[in-house]
Amino acid sequence: KEYSTIDGPPKLKALTQQLIFGDDCPAIGEGRIASVQALSGTGSLRVVGEFIKYFMKPESHEIWVSNPTWGNHNAIFAKSGLAVKTYPYYK
């Protein structure tokens, strides 16, 4: 069996960037967006939480999640050291 690169298939990462940011996004063309494939939804959230905590300025250490959300989301981000805030998903 062939395995992908550790950070994910390059074509998948490029297509995902285009889907999220749009084909005409200058940041994509300028190479300012980095993408990685992570092991799962929960694992991905923990990785991004740790990344924010250790590599971004303290004013970025606040994350907003919808209410309701999955039961583990608040704990994942709190364990990463982020301040968790909520907003209503619907009214």
Side-chain angles (χ1 to χ4, degrees), residues 14-45:
L15 290 171
T16 302
Q17 288 177 5
Q18 291 169 355
L19 176 66
I20 293 171
F21 298 104
D23 292 331
D24 58 347
C25 175
I28 293 174
E30 296 164 6
R32 295 186 288 123
I33 298 176
S35 299
V36 296
Q37 177 179 312
L39 61 149
S40 65
T42 299
S44 298
L45 294 179

Side-chain angles (χ1 to χ4, degrees), residues 30-68:
E30 296 164 6
R32 295 186 288 123
I33 298 176
S35 299
V36 296
Q37 177 179 312
L39 61 149
S40 65
T42 299
S44 298
L45 294 179
R46 183 58 187 246
V47 168
V48 78
E50 295 287 335
F51 181 89
I52 291 168
K53 180 67 177 177
Y54 291 103
F55 296 104
M56 297 185 75
K57 295 178 181 178
E59 55 268 21
S60 300
H61 296 177
E62 177 179 287
I63 192 153
W64 288 79
V65 297
S66 65
N67 182 15

